[in-house]
Amino acid sequence: DAGVIQSPRHEVTEMGQEVTLRCKPISGHDYLFWYRQTMMRGLELLIYFNNNVPIDDSGMPEDRFSAKMPNASFSTLKIQPSEPRDSAVYFCASSSLGQGATDTEAFFGQGTRLTVV
Amino acid sequence: GNSVTQMEGPVTLSEEAFLTINCTYTATGYPSLFWYVQYPGEGLQLLLKATKADDKGSNKGFEATYRKETTSFHLEKGSVQVSDSAVYFCALRSSNTGKLIFGQGTTLQVKP
């Protein structure tokens, strides 16, 4: 497997524009996580899915942020409208949760570096 | 809710020095605990894990023991190298919900 694939790797956009970040999880994994990393706030969990269903979106900062997982092999994180304070690195990660909690680690993508000017 | 607290960085050491990065957690139930490492410009990679109390995770000379009585999972290495310079994250995963949360990260810089 190629691992978790995120696109684009870099995105520069103007304030007010819509931004869509994409993630392809590892095949067979049933959990998908979206994180945001900044110097000030560290690594924040935004939302996570189990079997394509959003389980906890309490980390989503505002209504401008939305995430979907239409099938087991694809997820999107959308920001509309974008603002300069959304500039960060956004990571997607996937995992399974095996029997007896022995298979619990998450695998991360390379991240998308978003710059809103 | 669950939470993870790491010692603040940056941590600066000379090569071959002993490393400890403290991590404590609060959680209900029986979480799994992890250390991840992030090199510049890259995503996070699993360094080691422990899934139950008293388990010791180890990898590449790093080790950490899951201590339920002190709710800790401190990372240690006996002799660091320049190539260990990176950001280290302690993480906790709930066995009930599957939610995975991270500490704030600790930057390690090793000087030759």
Side-chain angles (χ1 to χ4, degrees):
Chain A
D1 201 309
V4 177
I5 299 173
Q6 291 187 247
S7 64
R9 289 294 308 275
H10 302 275
E11 176 81 40
V12 180
T13 190
E14 292 186 347
M15 182 174 62
Q17 296 298 304
E18 177 180 296
V19 176
T20 299
L21 311 181
R22 297 172 175 79
C23 176
K24 182 181 188 315
I26 293 172
S27 176
H29 282 180
D30 51 3
Y31 281 83
L32 185 139
F33 304 85
W34 282 102
Y35 294 90
R36 177 173 68 175
Q37 184 177 30
T38 61
M39 290 292 290
M40 292 299 295
R41 301 175 70 91
L43 193 64
E44 303 172 274
L45 175 63
L46 300 178
I47 184 171
Y48 75 103
F49 296 82
N50 178 216
N51 291 321
N52 313 337
V53 176
I55 303 300
D56 185 343
D57 64 355
S58 60
M60 296 285 261
E62 303 171 33
D63 290 346
R64 298 185 296 107
F65 286 69
S66 62
K68 294 182 180 179
M69 192 164 186
N71 57 62
S73 58
F74 184 65
S75 177
T76 59
L77 178 67
K78 185 178 294 185
I79 308 172
Q80 165 64 18
S82 58
E83 297 183 3
R85 60 195 167 118
D86 301 331
S87 297
V89 181
Y90 291 82
F91 286 103
C92 174
S94 72
S95 82
S96 56
L97 189 63
Q99 288 283 340
T102 58
D103 181 19
T104 60
E105 64 263 36
F107 296 82
F108 278 73
Q110 291 293 298
T112 295
R113 182 174 295 277
L114 173 65
T115 303
V116 183
V117 298
Chain B
N2 296 346
S3 66
V4 178
T5 302
Q6 285 180 239
M7 63 186 284
E8 296 224 4
V11 174
T12 302
L13 296 173
S14 298
E15 207 165 21
E16 300 183 2
F18 184 86
L19 168 71
T20 300
I21 301 178
N22 290 338
C23 172
T24 57
Y25 68 91
T26 58
T28 55
Y30 303 95
S32 295
L33 301 175
F34 307 87
W35 278 99
Y36 280 79
V37 60
Q38 184 181 32
Y39 298 102
E42 298 185 10
L44 279 71
Q45 306 171 26
L46 179 69
L47 180 60
L48 53 85
K49 70 177 182 181
T51 57
K52 62 183 185 297
D54 299 325
D55 268 2
K56 178 185 282 189
S58 61
N59 185 28
K60 300 180 181 179
F62 291 90
E63 58 182 36
T65 301
Y66 187 164
R67 302 282 189 201
K68 194 166 179 64
E69 64 276 13
T70 55
T71 61
S72 64
F73 193 56
H74 305 321
L75 181 69
E76 296 182 337
K77 187 175 185 182
S79 176
V80 294
Q81 305 300 311
V82 172
S83 57
D84 294 327
S85 299
V87 182
Y88 292 81
F89 291 89
C90 185
L92 175 154
R93 186 162 193 199
S94 167
S95 57
N96 297 328
T97 66
K99 187 174 184 178
L100 176 64
I101 60 171
F102 287 80
Q104 61 269 46
T106 302
T107 299
L108 171 65
Q109 184 178 26
V110 181
K111 296 186 174 181

